[in-house]
Amino acid sequence: MADCLFCSIIAGEIPSKKVYEDEWVYAFEDISPVAPHHVLLIPKEHIASVNEITAENSAAVAKIYEAAGKIAQQLGIAQEGYRIVTNCGEKAGQTVFHLHFHLIAGRDLQWPPG
Ligand code: AMP
Ligand code: ZN
């Protein structure tokens, strides 16, 4: 999609530090990490937010969670634990309107989140 930062990253027009890629999913390091490990997992298809998930495109979400488990193994954090977070909409702090899942690990994570 034109003017979408994460679509441009998938297309290779904007550089990123790739962590994982398959037919459905692209994952890369967050540019402003909030923890020692902070990876963003995104569907290759443009979906603006959780509000736009439908019966037609929801398979991508399952693929993202499959990929998350593989990435956790790859990073060596599967056993110690990690968090997957999606912000939806302005009040939740969503700033990029291409669906993404933050995978965060490497420190003690607080609950509830701020
Ligand atoms: P959110 O605020 O939930 O929409 O998350 C957007 C995330 O994208 C933030 O954690 C940003 O640090 C991250 N981000 C923004 N631009 C880039 C970029 N060019 N490469 C990697 N991560 C980015
Ligand atoms: Zn996009």
Side-chain angles (χ1 to χ4, degrees):
M1 188 189 209
D3 297 331
C4 172
L5 173 63
F6 287 174
C7 282
S8 300
I9 284 177
I10 291 164
E13 295 157 5
I14 291 176
S16 65
K17 290 188 179 166
K18 181 166 87 171
V19 173
Y20 174 89
E21 182 174 14
D22 65 28
E23 188 189 338
W24 297 73
V25 180
Y26 189 77
F28 55 104
E29 291 179 13
D30 196 293
I31 205 166
S32 304
V34 299
H37 296 288
H38 188 168
V39 175
L40 296 175
L41 292 90
I42 62 179
K44 286 191 170 172
E45 177 185 353
H46 180 88
I47 301 171
S49 77
V50 171
N51 290 335
E52 311 299 324
I53 297 173
T54 65
E56 284 68 41
N57 64 23
S58 62
V61 178
K63 296 292 183 186
I64 281 171
Y65 272 86
E66 259 185 66
K70 289 181 195 166
I71 292 167
Q73 293 288 350
Q74 193 177 303
L75 297 176
I77 54 166
Q79 298 314 314
E80 71 180 54
Y82 54 95
R83 183 172 291 164
I84 297 173
V85 182
T86 298
N87 299 318
C88 181
E90 262 180 55
K91 280 210 170 180
Q94 184 177 7
T95 58
V96 178
F97 284 79
H98 180 126
L99 181 64
H100 52 281
F101 295 75
H102 299 257
L103 191 161
I104 295 164
R107 64 171 170 81
D108 290 331
L109 299 167
Q110 304 306 306
W111 192 264

